[in-house]
Every structure is written in structure tokens, then in C-alpha cells.
């Protein structure tokens, strides 16, 4: 998809593609690198170059980005005495190794602008000032070290640090946010340009959350204001967000990423955002000579109105007329000409006389997503199912006399960790209730292999969530199995290496006020991952590792795998899997994970946060495609479907403005999940 996505961005007036570099993808084990397939970051940069665009490479290598563990490979957690993002020798060693590796690769391919390549900027670290104070006297030295380390790699192009007001020379401090024309204090040196590395076109969405809608008018206003105030680089986060395939999304973040961007999750043009911004970019570029060569001045046109002017003899004159009144038009006089300014808008005058663009005037209609059903999977005879084995204490090899921390035990090899123990109650325990507290994301309890109950947390909840499940105990030995589930690892905040997830308290409470506490000093057994997951039964070559059965009796069973084959929809429209009748789990197509789903976690409006899951056509064969679902909570696969999506009312959008005579880098784009 890279060529078409880059081409649509270029057509929309974007000059720079900005991308993160994903440490956990590229160095899955210390010193072992993977730059193949979707991880081919050099190939991605070369594709951008082939289309005549520039690159901002955000190496980080901490990236946050709603990406699991902020981009860190989990093996860092096991490095002795490590403290991430701090003046800490073990961390600095591995950070420098990876940063140097990426820079060396780019240099060897001649990809920096200093070598004639497309990379004009690189980023080191990411929004560190947000957490710097937590590290005490280990924070400021780390900033100085990271900047010095990066500069000494001698790329020949500038380095930036976003949200780092004290970025040391020559590293450039940049702004992230929605209103950097209003909130940014500016570069910390007169020798540095004013950069906006993240202009949020929407906001990421979490399970249980609604999408954040930001209008085309609001985005255009703040882009134009930043330029009027001498901003020289603006990057849209995101211009295209894409899909968090597999287990790459961070805690509670949905699989679709920034679908409200100018290019939606499937790479379709979203109007009016894309077209309105295209017109804005053309209008700004028509002012290029005056902006770059002229002297800026500004003065008041009224109580809430302002003029920003760029003028120089021989360079022409360009003006930006701002109306900050949220509700009312404003009549202003500028250079003996009367102008009517729309509420909360900026008018662009490339000759200081004629308005060619107004940020609040959208000349395009919106285009809605249209879903066309291609294939309904309602034939039970086509499905096969396998119910996963619930491990008991005796089945587990890993034992401990305490509750183990989830992430350190799974090493991020799986979302799932089984906690198991066996227990024989006193005969006096009546009306027993299993009480579980957890700092993971979901906990599901099974007693003697029968489902007892579950609960989950949320992105905003603080502290542990609780499972309270009435259970039935036999007088003999009982097997208690609790499945702890993570829906992505944390991606932000200080001291990621110290985070705790998993069960924190387990008790059985009896009606007689008797409490059996298994939290400490009790022997537990553990299993990392589900049985089917460990046998890779989502891949065609491993389907025979278990015995598949008819599906009819399994649709209400938790922890059930389903499989079916289907043909690819005809045509070129993007393909989606409509999972509206499923509960929670993960989906694979031809062995490729298309991400986690969690439809049972409803928003405040009683709807799932995401029902459609993108299947890139590159994942599909013409026929005989294998779909495998892992359903944790008892969803119904007989009413899901494979569909196609398109956008209605989309017309060819030609800019009303001629291209400038020269090419200027004023707009950016972040395609961070495209390298996945």
C-alpha cells in the first residue's frame, strides 16, 4: 500500500513523509535485526524518494505513538540495572546501538539530504519533557547525552526533539498539539526554525471510547496561524494512521488507528479534510516567495482581528488576516480595502490584495463510508471449531509461591497468562465467592474447568479492577484457573520497566465470613499463552496440531477457535471483516494477524468502538483464504461477514491554485503504522 498512500499524500499537497522507526520490530532480540517485508524502513524511505518527497525520520527510539511498550523491545526489561530514558549506562548503551544502526543504514544508502537523499530531519527521543522531572537529577543529563550522541552521528541534517523546550544546541525544539500557533513558545534560539512535528488531525481511540472528530476548518485555521507566525514545518499526526496489526497497539488502543485522518484507515480519501487541506497547501505555496524572502510584521485590525504580513522589495507581499471571534463575522480595512472575515478564520492574500483561501470556507461535501457485503459466513457446515484446554495446577511446569507479574512472565510473547492453583475447602464454606483483583486488562475465572465470571479495566481507570464470581466448590480438591489478559502493553510515562500488571489479590470468601487468601505464601502454577496459540493453529501448516469439530455446539463457549475458508471479494475496494457479533479476541487471515477485536466493550452510547477490521488485499489470495478467530468470551461467528468499503460522493478534486514556481517543504505527514 505504500506507493498509493504516498501518492495520495503528495496529491494532497504534502511534501514530507514523517515516520517513526519501531525498535521492537527491527530488533526483536538483542543484536538480531529484521528489516524484511513490512519492516523495510530503507525501502519505505526509497519509495518516498521515488515520488519526489522528503522524509523526517523519527528514530526515537522511544516513540510512544499508542504503540505497545512505546516501541521498546521487551528484552530491554531483563537488562540488569536498566532504567529506561534516564542517565543510565545500560539503557544508553542499547539506545545508542540502535540509533547508530539506523543512521548507518541510511548513510550507506545515501539517503540523507546532505548526501543528495530525501531525509531532511531526524528526531531523537520523544516528548521527554513530559516525564523528565520524574527522573530527578538523572533527567537533564540524559537530554544532553541524547542530543550529543545524535549530533555526533554526523548525518548532515538537523535533529529535533519535540516537546523539549530546553533542547540543547543545535538540536531543534519542536511543538506537538492541536494549536501550536497559539501554544508554542517558539524555538529556543534565533538560529532555529519553528517546527510543528505533530498537528493532531483527530485523536487515537480506545476500546470503550468514541472517535474524536476534528473539523477540516479547525485544522486549516491552526496550520495557517502557525505559518503566519513564521512556522516553517507542519506535520499532520496522522495524515494516514493505518492499522495496528497483530498485537502492536498499546494498552486498550483499538486496532484501527486515526481513521478520522485525511486518508482513512483503509487509505481512502476523507472529504472534506483532504480536499480542504489540499487547497490550503496550494494557497500557502502561492505565497512562498514572500514568506521565505520577505520581512514579517503584524498589527491589529480590531479587538479580535490581526494581520500578519510578509513583504520585501522584489519578493512581493503576502498577508494572513485573522478573525479570532468565534461567532461573528468581522469587517476590517486592510491597505485601504475592506474585507469581510468569517468567524474563527484566516484569509490568505498572496498579493496582499485578493483573498484566495479562507480556512472556514469549505467548498467540498463530505463523503461517507459505504460498506458492501461480499460474503456472509452463516453456514455452520463451513465452520470448524476447537475449544482451548483450560490448564489446571497439575498441568503447569512453572510454579511459584506468590503471584507473578504478568508482563515479566510472558515476556510479551502472548497477551495471556494462566494463574492456577488447587484448593480443598472446609465443609463449612457455603456460598463461596471468588474475589480477584487485577492490574492487567481482563481476568476470566474458571473453577473445575467451568467458566465462573470475568471483568475488565479501562484506559482511564486507576488501580485494580475486581472480579466477584459466585462459584461452586466440591468437597474434594478444586482446580481454580484464572486467565489474565493484556490488551497491549503501556506506552507512556516514566519508569516503564517498573510497571506491574496481573493479579494482585485472590481470595475465596464464604458466607460465614471465612476468607481463604491465596495472594501470598500459596503455591501457584503458570502457563504463558493459550494452548492453540502455542501450537500456532492460526497458520495453515499447523491446523493439524489439534482436532477441529463441528461449530454448532461451540458458539457460546469461551476460549474457542473458529476457522473457515473464503474467496477474496472482486474488485479493488478495500476489504474488511465485519465482526459485529463477536465478543473479544484476535483474527488471522492466511496466518497474518489483522489485530485484536473487542466488541463486547461498549461505548457510553452502547456501541462497540470498532466493528470493521481491515484485511489488506496483499494478505489475500483469489480463493481459499483461511480465516481463524480466537474468541475469548463466546461470540457468534455465524453472522460475521467479509465486506468491501468505499467512499461515496468522492469527486476528483483539482486545486484551484496553480503550483508555485519552486518547491518548498512546509507540510508534513506521518505514516507511522505503514512500516508494519
Amino acid at each position: 500500500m505504500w506507493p498509493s498512500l504516498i501518492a495520495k499524500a503528495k496529491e494532497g499537497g504534502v511534501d514530507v513523509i514523517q515516520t517513526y522507526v519501531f525498535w521492537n520490530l527491527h530488533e526483536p532480540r538483542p543484536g538480531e535485526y529484521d528489516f524484511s517485508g513490512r519492516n523495510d524502513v530503507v525501502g519505505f524511505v526509497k519509495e518516498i524518494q521515488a515520488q519526489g518527497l522528503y522524509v523526517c525520520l523519527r528514530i526515537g527510539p522511544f516513540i510512544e505513538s499508542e504503540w505497545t511498550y512505546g516501541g521498546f523491545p521487551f528484552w530491554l526489561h531483563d537488562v540488569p540495572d536498566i532504567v529506561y530514558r534516564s542517565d543510565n549506562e545500560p539503557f544508553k548503551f542499547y539506545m545508542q546501538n540502535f540509533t547508530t544502526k539506523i543512521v548507518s543504514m541510511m548513510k550507506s544508502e545515501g539517503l540523507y539530504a546532505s548526501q543528495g537523499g530525501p531525509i531532511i530531519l531526524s528526531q531523537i527521543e520523544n516528548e521527554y519533557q513530559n516525564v523528565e522531572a520524574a527522573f530527578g537529577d538523572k533527567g537533564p543529563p540524559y537530554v544532553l547525552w541524547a542530543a550529543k550522541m545524535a549530533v555526533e552521528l554526523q548525518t548532515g541534517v538537523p535533529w529535533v526533539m519535540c516537546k523539549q523546550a530546553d533542547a540543547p544546541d543545535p538540536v531543534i525544539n519542536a511543538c506537538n498539539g492541536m494549536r501550536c500557533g497559539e501554544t508554542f513558545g517558539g524555538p529556543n534560539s534565533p538560529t532555529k526554525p519553528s517546527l510543528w512535528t505533530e498537528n493532531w488531525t483527530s485523536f487515537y481511540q480506545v476500546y470503550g471510547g468514541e472517535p474524536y472528530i476534528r473539523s477540516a476548518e479547525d485544522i486549516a485555521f491552526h496550520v495557517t496561524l502557525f505559518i503566519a507566525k513564521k512556522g516553517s514545518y507542519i506535520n499532520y499526526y496522522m495524515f494516514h494512521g493505518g492499522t495496528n496489526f497483530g498485537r502492536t497497539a498499546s494498552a486498550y488502543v483499538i486496532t484501527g488507528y486515526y481513521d478520522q485522518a485525511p486518508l482513512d484507515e483503509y487509505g481512502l480519501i476523507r472529504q472534506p479534510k483532504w480536499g480542504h487541506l489540499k487547497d490550503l497547501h496550494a494557497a500557502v505555496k502561492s505565497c512562498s516567495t514572500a514568506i521565505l524572502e520577505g520581512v514579517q510584521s503584524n498589527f491589529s485590525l480590531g479587538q479580535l482581528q490581526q494581520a500578519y504580513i510578509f513583504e520585501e522589495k522584489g519578493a512581493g507581499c503576502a498577508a494572513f488576516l485573522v478573525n479570532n471571534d468565534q461567532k461573528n463575522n468581522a469587517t476590517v480595512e486592510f491597505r485601504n480595502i475592506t474585507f469581510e472575515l468569517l468567524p474563527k478564520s484566516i484569509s490568505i492574500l498572496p498579493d496582499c490584495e485578493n483573498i484566495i483561501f479562507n480556512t472556514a470556507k469549505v467548498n467540498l461535501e463530505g463523503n461517507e463510508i459505504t460498506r458492501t457485503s461480499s460474503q456472509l459466513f452463516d453456514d455452520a457446515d463451513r465452520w470448524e471449531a476447537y475449544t482451548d484446554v483450560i490448564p489446571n495446577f497439575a498441568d503447569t511446569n512453572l510454579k511459584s509461591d506468590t503471584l507473578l507479574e504478568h508482563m515479566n512472565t510472558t515476556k510479551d510473547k502472548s497477551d495471556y497468562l494462566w494463574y492456577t492453583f488447587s484448593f480443598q475447602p472446609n465443609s463449612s464454606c457455603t456460598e463461596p465467592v471468588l474475589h480477584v483483583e487485577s492490574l492487567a486488562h481482563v481476568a476470566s475465572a474458571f473453577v473445575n474447568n467451568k467458566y465462573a465470571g470475568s471483568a475488565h479495566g479501562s484506559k482511564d481507570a486507576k488501580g485494580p479492577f475486581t472480579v466477584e464470581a459466585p462459584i461452586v466448590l466440591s468437597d474434594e480438591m478444586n482446580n481454580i484457573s484464572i486467565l489474565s489478559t493484556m490488551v497491549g502493553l503501556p506506552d507512556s510515562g516514566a519508569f516503564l520497566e517498573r510497571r506491574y500488571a496481573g493479579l494482585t489479590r485472590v481470595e475465596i470468601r464464604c458466607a460465614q465470613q471465612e476468607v481463604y487468601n491465596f495472594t501470598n505464601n500459596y503455591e501457584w502454577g503458570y502457563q504463558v499463552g493459550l494452548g492453540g496459540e502455542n501450537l500456532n493453529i492460526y497458520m495453515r501448516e499447523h491446523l493439524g496440531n489439534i482436532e477441529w469439530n463441528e461449530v454448532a455446539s461451540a458458539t457460546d463457549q469461551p476460549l474457542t477457535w473458529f476457522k473457515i475458508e473464503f474467496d477474496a471479494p472482486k474488485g479493488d475496494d478495500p476489504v474488511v471483516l465485519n465482526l459485529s457479533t463477536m465478543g473479544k479476541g484476535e483474527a488471522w487471515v492466511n496466518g497474518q494477524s489483522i489485530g485484536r477485536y473487542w466488541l463486547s466493550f461498549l461505548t457510553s452510547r452502547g456501541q462497540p468502538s470498532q466493528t470493521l477490521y481491515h484485511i489488506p488485499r496483499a494478505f489475500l489470495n483469489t480463493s481459499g483464504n483461511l480465516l481463524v478467530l480466537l474468541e475469548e468470551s463466546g461470540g457468534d461467528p455465524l453472522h460475521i461477514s467479509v465486506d468491501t468499503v468505499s467512499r461515496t460522493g468522492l469527486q476528483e478534486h483539482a486545486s484551484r491554485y496553480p503550483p508555485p514556481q519552486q518547491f518548498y517543504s512546509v507540510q508534513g505527514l506521518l505514516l507511522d503504522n505503514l512500516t508494519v
Side-chain angles (χ1 to χ4, degrees):
M1 294 176 68
W2 294 347
S4 66
L5 290 164
I6 294 165
K8 288 175 183 176
K10 181 179 181 180
E11 185 186 354
V14 166
D15 304 321
V16 182
I17 307 295
Q18 181 166 293
T19 182
Y20 281 126
V21 180
F22 301 84
W23 189 358
N24 55 1
L25 292 185
H26 297 307
E27 194 178 6
R29 287 165 294 280
E32 296 182 22
Y33 297 99
D34 182 359
F35 296 100
S36 62
R38 301 203 302 271
N39 294 349
D40 184 4
V41 64
V42 167
F44 183 58
V45 172
K46 286 184 174 179
E47 177 59 39
I48 297 168
Q49 182 181 32
Q51 297 207 35
L53 301 185
Y54 296 109
V55 175
C56 174
L57 199 65
R58 303 180 79 180
I59 298 175
F62 172 79
I63 60 172
E64 191 166 334
S65 68
E66 296 72 60
W67 187 266
T68 191
Y69 219 42
F72 286 157
F74 197 80
W75 54 259
L76 274 181
H77 181 273
D78 294 333
V79 173
D81 302 318
I82 196 166
V83 180
Y84 305 161
R85 307 176 73 199
S86 173
D87 187 24
N88 169 267
E89 294 306 318
F91 177 71
K92 293 191 296 183
F93 173 81
Y94 287 104
M95 174 175 166
Q96 183 169 4
N97 274 1
F98 182 73
T99 305
T100 303
K101 173 74 175 179
I102 298 301
V103 169
S104 298
M105 287 175 60
M106 299 301 159
K107 275 187 178 180
S108 69
E109 299 287 342
L111 293 175
Y112 283 100
S114 56
Q115 303 171 292
I119 303 174
I120 59 170
L121 287 170
S122 290
Q123 181 177 306
I124 195 71
E125 250 299 337
N126 191 58
E127 299 186 347
Y128 185 70
Q129 194 168 316
N130 289 351
V131 297
E132 184 174 349
F135 294 99
D137 60 5
K138 295 293 186 180
Y142 170 67
V143 174
L144 296 174
W145 170 85
K148 182 173 184 290
M149 180 269 290
V151 170
E152 287 179 350
L153 292 173
Q154 298 183 340
T155 63
V157 302
W159 288 87
V160 299
M161 283 181 167
C162 60
K163 283 194 174 183
Q164 193 67 40
D166 60 352
D169 293 344
V171 176
I172 304 163
N173 60 302
C175 185
N176 289 355
M178 288 188 180
R179 301 181 301 278
C180 282
E182 297 174 348
T183 61
F184 186 40
N188 60 22
S189 164
T191 63
K192 299 177 184 180
S194 186
L195 308 182
W196 188 355
T197 35
E198 292 186 16
N199 177 13
W200 304 331
T201 59
S202 176
F203 208 62
Y204 68 88
Q205 190 176 353
V206 298
Y207 290 110
E210 301 282 356
Y212 181 92
I213 309 298
R214 189 181 181 199
S215 70
E217 298 94 319
D218 188 61
I219 298 171
F221 177 92
H222 289 285
V223 167
T224 308
L225 183 64
F226 191 74
I227 292 168
K229 292 185 173 182
K230 296 186 178 182
S232 61
Y233 174 92
I234 296 163
N235 167 76
Y236 296 108
Y237 191 107
M238 312 282 290
F239 199 86
H240 168 71
T243 306
N244 289 310
F245 296 117
R247 299 169 48 249
T248 55
S250 67
Y252 293 106
V253 171
I254 68 171
T255 294
Y257 193 60
Y258 273 80
D259 178 58
Q260 295 293 324
L263 297 178
D264 70 13
E265 181 186 353
Y266 318 110
L268 299 173
I269 289 172
R270 176 186 291 281
Q271 298 286 32
K273 273 187 186 177
W274 183 89
H276 191 54
L277 294 176
K278 177 179 180 177
D279 282 348
L280 167 63
H281 303 157
V284 168
K285 289 177 183 180
S286 72
C287 306
S288 295
T289 302
I291 290 173
L292 289 170
E293 299 179 20
V295 175
Q296 191 236 39
S297 61
N298 67 86
F299 56 86
S300 173
L301 295 173
Q303 188 173 2
L304 294 171
Q305 292 74 40
Q306 192 88 3
Y308 294 87
I309 307 162
F310 295 85
E311 189 170 21
E312 186 73 29
K313 186 176 181 180
C317 177
F320 299 84
L321 307 184
V322 183
N323 180 15
N324 279 308
D325 191 318
Q326 299 273 1
K327 298 179 180 179
N328 303 306
N329 283 15
T331 302
V332 300
E333 188 169 298
F334 173 70
R335 297 203 169 187
N336 299 318
I337 303 173
T338 300
F339 294 97
E340 187 81 6
L341 306 181
L342 295 175
K344 193 62 178 179
S345 73
I346 304 177
S347 295
I348 299 177
L349 294 71
D351 56 1
C352 287
E353 294 181 4
N354 298 288
I355 295 175
I356 65 166
F357 182 87
N358 180 274
T359 59
K361 187 176 181 180
V362 178
N363 297 307
L364 296 147
E365 293 184 2
N367 59 342
E368 298 301 319
I369 197 87
T370 298
R371 180 172 58 87
T372 303
S373 183
S374 173
Q375 189 172 165
L376 183 64
F377 296 136
D378 57 351
D379 184 353
D381 292 339
R382 291 180 55 203
W383 284 97
E384 290 185 288
Y386 168 72
T387 301
D388 216 286
V389 176
I390 298 167
N392 291 322
F393 177 78
D395 305 324
T396 57
N397 295 321
L398 177 61
K399 300 289 199 298
S400 174
D401 62 358
T402 190
L403 294 173
L404 297 181
E405 195 275 324
H406 183 124
M407 295 182 288
N408 186 49
T409 308
T410 63
K411 307 298 184 188
D412 196 31
K413 302 301 182 187
S414 171
D415 286 347
Y416 307 103
L417 177 63
W418 282 105
Y419 291 73
T420 69
F421 67 98
S422 56
F423 165 67
Q424 186 170 3
N426 294 332
S427 58
S428 61
C429 183
T430 60
E431 300 179 26
V433 172
L434 179 64
H435 175 90
V436 178
E437 296 176 15
S438 176
L439 284 171
H441 299 150
V442 186
S444 302
F446 298 81
V447 177
N448 297 323
N449 297 333
K450 292 184 178 180
Y451 175 73
S454 66
H456 64 80
S458 68
K459 181 73 172 180
D460 297 328
K462 306 298 181 185
F465 65 88
T466 301
V467 180
E468 292 277 354
I471 59 176
V472 177
L473 296 174
S474 73
D475 293 335
E476 306 302 321
M477 189 65 73
N478 294 270
N479 287 296
I480 315 293
S481 305
I482 304 168
L483 182 62
S484 175
T485 305
M486 296 291 288
V487 186
L489 301 188
D491 73 324
S492 60
F495 303 111
L496 272 179
E497 72 283 351
R498 301 181 189 176
R499 298 296 177 84
Y500 189 98
L503 307 190
T504 58
R505 181 184 269 312
V506 178
E507 298 174 342
I508 291 178
R509 299 174 175 178
C510 308
Q512 298 83 359
Q513 306 302 312
E514 187 175 7
V515 176
Y516 295 90
N517 191 330
F518 307 97
T519 304
N520 295 306
N521 301 315
Y522 201 88
E523 191 170 20
W524 286 83
Y526 296 89
Q527 176 183 298
V528 174
L530 304 179
E533 183 186 25
N534 293 332
L535 292 171
N536 298 318
I537 64 172
Y538 48 84
M539 303 185 73
R540 189 177 298 276
E541 59 267 34
H542 298 300
L543 291 176
N545 287 344
I546 50 92
E547 183 177 346
W548 296 86
N549 301 299
E550 293 182 358
V551 76
S553 62
T555 55
D556 60 348
Q557 297 293 316
L559 301 179
T560 297
W561 298 78
F562 300 97
K563 73 178 180 73
I564 196 171
E565 291 195 353
F566 68 98
D567 297 338
K570 298 186 183 306
D572 298 321
D573 286 340
V575 180
V576 296
L577 185 63
N578 181 357
L579 293 176
S580 56
T581 58
M582 301 304 290
K584 181 185 181 301
E586 188 171 350
W588 291 261
V589 174
N590 294 330
Q592 300 268 9
S593 174
I594 62 170
R596 302 182 184 98
Y597 63 85
W598 197 353
L599 291 100
S600 57
F601 194 159
L602 303 179
T603 70
S604 59
R605 299 181 183 180
Q607 299 295 322
S609 295
Q610 183 178 357
T611 58
L612 303 181
Y613 290 78
H614 184 206
I615 310 174
R617 283 195 176 266
F619 288 8
L620 294 171
N621 306 314
T622 304
S623 61
N625 297 288
L626 175 66
L627 168 64
V628 177
L629 303 174
L630 164 61
E631 172 55 46
E632 297 174 30
S633 58
D636 175 15
L638 299 181
H639 292 89
I640 70 172
S641 61
V642 166
D643 306 333
T644 58
V645 290
S646 59
R647 286 200 168 268
T648 58
L650 178 62
Q651 299 176 350
E652 289 297 321
H653 179 73
S655 173
R656 296 173 292 156
Y657 314 116
Q661 294 299 307
Q662 293 174 284
F663 190 85
Y664 300 100
S665 178
V666 292
Q667 302 299 320
L669 157 68
L670 191 140
L671 299 177
D672 92 357
N673 287 22
L674 294 183
T675 56
V676 189

